[in-house]
Amino acid sequence: MKKENNSIQPEINSKVIEWAKKRGLLCDGTTPAQVKKVQEGLSETIKAIMEDDVPEIADGIGDLQVTIIILAEMLNLNAYACLNGAYDVIKGRQGRIIDGSFVKER
């Protein structure tokens, strides 16, 4: 799947939140239930990666983003502000790849 322009992030964030509101997720849903949805999405994405199913990997990543945006909204957080905060923490981080995974220096 081709990378898209990131300028749609605020618009899609608002659309996801509106979708969740219309379905009662933000007033009747619970954060533990939403975390389970995130976990389900992660499990499905892992399965797709193991099967090298690129369309399902892309779908899984999208599902994860949707569930995380909704979870953030439930907690009165902005998902993209959280992402920016995380990036600020890691942007200068140094480390190396060990067994296929980045390990930060101490």
Side-chain angles (χ1 to χ4, degrees):
M1 177 166 268
K2 184 178 170 186
K3 288 186 181 179
E4 298 292 329
N5 184 332
N6 288 338
S7 65
I8 66 163
Q9 289 179 349
E11 180 183 340
I12 197 70
N13 190 65
S14 296
K15 287 181 178 181
V16 169
I17 292 167
E18 188 59 32
W19 179 90
K21 283 179 185 174
K22 287 181 179 178
R23 283 152 185 84
L25 284 169
L26 300 181
C27 49
D28 297 328
T30 66
T31 54
Q34 191 61 26
V35 169
K36 285 182 183 179
K37 288 293 187 182
V38 173
Q39 193 171 34
E40 288 171 16
L42 181 58
S43 295
E44 291 170 6
T45 305
I46 291 168
K47 181 178 182 270
I49 289 169
M50 297 304 190
E51 295 172 355
D52 198 28
D53 186 341
V54 176
E56 284 300 313
I57 293 168
D59 181 66
I61 290 171
D63 287 349
L64 284 167
Q65 290 175 312
V66 166
T67 57
I68 289 169
I69 289 167
I70 294 168
L71 177 62
E73 187 70 14
M74 289 174 142
L75 295 167
N76 295 314
L77 298 168
N78 177 288
Y80 290 103
C82 294
L83 178 59
N84 283 323
Y87 177 73
D88 284 344
V89 171
I90 68 161
K91 67 184 174 187
R93 191 171 281 167
Q94 299 294 313
R96 58 191 174 118
I97 302 296
I98 299 174
D99 296 326
S101 183
F102 182 82
V103 177
K104 66 180 177 178
E105 290 178 356
R106 295 188 184 252

